[in-house]
Amino acid sequence: MGVGRTSILDTLAELSLQGIDHPDLPRHLDRLDPLQRFRKEFHIPSVAAINRHSASVGLPSKTGHPDGSSSSSDDEAIYLCGNSLGLQPIRTKALLDQELQIWAQCGVHGHFNHQFDRPWVSIDDNVIEESARIVGAEPDEVAIMNSLTVNVHLLMVPFYRPTTERFKIIMEGKAFPSDYYAIESQVKFHGLDPKTTIVEIDPRDGEYALRTEDILATIRREGSSTALVLISGIQYYTGQFFDIEAIAQAAREQGCLIGVDLAHAVGNVPLELHRWQVDFACWCSYKYLNSGPGGIGGAFVHSKHAGDSSLSRFAGWWGTNPATKFQMSHEFEPIAGAAGYRLSNPSVLATIALLGSLQVFAETDMASLRHKSVRLTAYLELLVEHLQDKYPGRLRIITPLDESQRGCQLSLLFLEEGRMMPVFERLLEHGVVCDERKPDVIRVAPAPLYNSFADVYQFFRCLDEALAATL
Ligand SMILES: *Cc1c(COP(=O)(O)O)cnc(C)c1O
């Protein structure tokens, strides 16, 4: 049994409570949580704002919550959607206001002369170190730039250079559409046929997750004709956390390059991109990194490629040697490392919004977040199992039950046709914010930085009511 499950069941036994659904359990778990203080660093959306009609529905009242809520007020939504858009850190507004103030008062001088010591010309210097820490990279391996799909394209320029012998790309069959569009259009750009170039790995019949052994077998089978393995770190739909280290090693053994899309992994699970020898990676920062809608993206290029001048790239002035950048010559001298792939001066407001969140991350670390996350999600899993027993044949978890193969998200599959949306709408009426993937999946993601065990318990009560109401 996983460590998360074991520790929740141990706590239950120590307290001599009857049943995983006992209302005293979340209060005790929250009290034991050393990260509980981070919740107050975030704006928690209100039920009233997200759902004007919630008051008119007979929902399990929050006042029924055992301790009158130490960590959530009555109007706070149960926000379990950090996999889609992370919450706003309280401090972000003040940081943004500082930039607006300098822009208002100093105009262009803010580029070099900045009252708060963040000159705009090197604004991204403020977010590199913590980003690198979160993805397990050296600072020179990380650039904060553009947005995710743009970065997938830009890094496929050096890292997908098909030859007649090696031209294939191995990817997950159910990859996020934007990733598929990027890869397919790159393949076409090189004059190749996606049908014979893209190798998709699918789950076995009746299964939802990919088996690591099947991924590795595909890499061994197709490796000699494969240029690039491009896979997500955590699968957006199932929540499966792939064994990136093993996949990278298998790719390397076959002479293939490996790229990873970390959209759902960054800020969710500990990563060690440098040690795993991933060639490149990209991420967005608005999911678990809480940088706000449309936030700035990230990119990783392994240091082993830093000095490789044979790598082709699409260049821009932000990638050239800063000492000569403003001489306005036509000599492009790429900065060694990831920064050499930057094109434009970054959005200061987007970069500073990321800084607001990274300052919170800097007060903890991914190992501590993971420790809590494994317990939080195990608690959610145990409560969902309780409902599976209560309502047989209605739902199942398609996320791997092995804790090491998932992050914080659980994906719930509703087995009866047409029943997911009514449940989802009922949840929303109760002030539960999670996310649906039509036709039949609800994704639930308790983020360890701001979600509490009380949130998970309230979700369980609302789901129980929603299942009963939609019989
Ligand atoms: C969220 C997400 C995206 C979004 O792409 P943008 O370029 O940021 O709009 C792309 N790919 C995956 C796997 C995602 O989860």
Side-chain angles (χ1 to χ4, degrees), residues 148-149 176 179 261 263-264 286-287:
L148 173 53
T149 310
F176 192 83
D179 299 52
D261 179 334
H264 281 261
Y286 47 80
K287 291 171 181 166

Side-chain angles (χ1 to χ4, degrees), residues 83-84 146-152 172 175-180 232-237 261-265 283-287 294-297 437 443:
N83 56 344
S84 188
N146 314 311
S147 46
L148 173 53
T149 310
V150 176
N151 289 340
V152 172
E172 321 125 67
F176 192 83
S178 195
D179 299 52
Y180 187 81
S232 58
I234 289 188
Q235 223 284 339
Y236 82 99
Y237 187 75
D261 179 334
L262 298 173
H264 281 261
W283 58 93
C284 49
S285 61
Y286 47 80
K287 291 171 181 166
I296 195 162
R437 293 282 142 171
R443 304 185 303 173

Side-chain angles (χ1 to χ4, degrees), residues 4 6-17 24-38 67 70-71 368 371-373 375-376 379 448 451-454:
T6 308
S7 90
I8 300 296
L9 293 174
D10 284 352
T11 306
L12 188 68
E14 276 160 30
L15 298 168
S16 311
L17 298 176
D24 285 351
L25 182 57
R27 181 162 46 103
H28 286 281
L29 293 169
D30 279 331
R31 197 182 293 147
L32 294 169
D33 171 17
L35 304 184
Q36 211 199 144
R37 67 192 172 93
F38 289 112
D67 64 348
S70 57
S71 59
S368 307
H371 179 78
K372 173 175 174 183
S373 178
R375 288 159 50 84
L376 202 55
Y379 180 50
N451 283 123
S452 62
F453 289 88

Side-chain angles (χ1 to χ4, degrees), residues 327-435:
Q327 290 171 8
M328 298 312 202
S329 84
H330 286 179
E331 281 322 301
F332 179 74
E333 286 178 59
I335 302 168
Y341 293 87
R342 296 177 304 176
L343 302 189
S344 300
N345 74 100
S347 156
V348 166
L349 296 180
T351 306
I352 287 306
L354 174 60
L355 177 63
S357 175
L358 293 185
Q359 285 183 350
V360 180
F361 274 89
E363 291 179 21
T364 177
D365 54 66
M366 287 311 301
S368 307
L369 286 166
R370 177 66 169 166
H371 179 78
K372 173 175 174 183
S373 178
V374 162
R375 288 159 50 84
L376 202 55
T377 299
Y379 180 50
L380 173 62
E381 180 189 356
L382 286 161
L383 289 171
V384 170
E385 278 175 10
H386 183 81
L387 294 178
Q388 286 175 302
D389 291 342
K390 187 167 171 185
Y391 304 96
R394 297 201 61 193
L395 76 161
R396 63 169 284 191
I397 298 170
I398 60 169
T399 306
L401 299 183
D402 173 358
E403 292 170 359
S404 70
Q405 286 191 61
R406 68 187 187 202
C408 68
Q409 171 186 324
L410 290 186
S411 302
L412 310 181
L413 175 69
F414 289 78
L415 299 165
E416 303 157 298
E417 207 180 315
R419 288 299 173 81
M420 183 277 285
M421 275 317 287
V423 169
F424 181 77
E425 277 158 14
R426 191 92 190 165
L427 287 171
L428 190 59
E429 286 164 5
H430 292 335
V432 173
V433 184
C434 46
D435 128 323

Side-chain angles (χ1 to χ4, degrees), residues 82-118:
N83 56 344
S84 188
L85 185 73
L87 291 180
Q88 183 185 139
I90 305 277
R91 65 182 77 198
T92 297
K93 190 174 193 302
L95 286 165
L96 288 173
D97 281 345
Q98 291 176 349
E99 301 304 335
L100 291 172
Q101 179 195 324
I102 290 180
W103 179 24
Q105 293 173 352
C106 312
V108 72
H109 284 274
H111 278 299
F112 296 99
N113 205 330
H114 194 290
Q115 183 188 340
F116 302 102
D117 244 6
R118 298 187 300 261

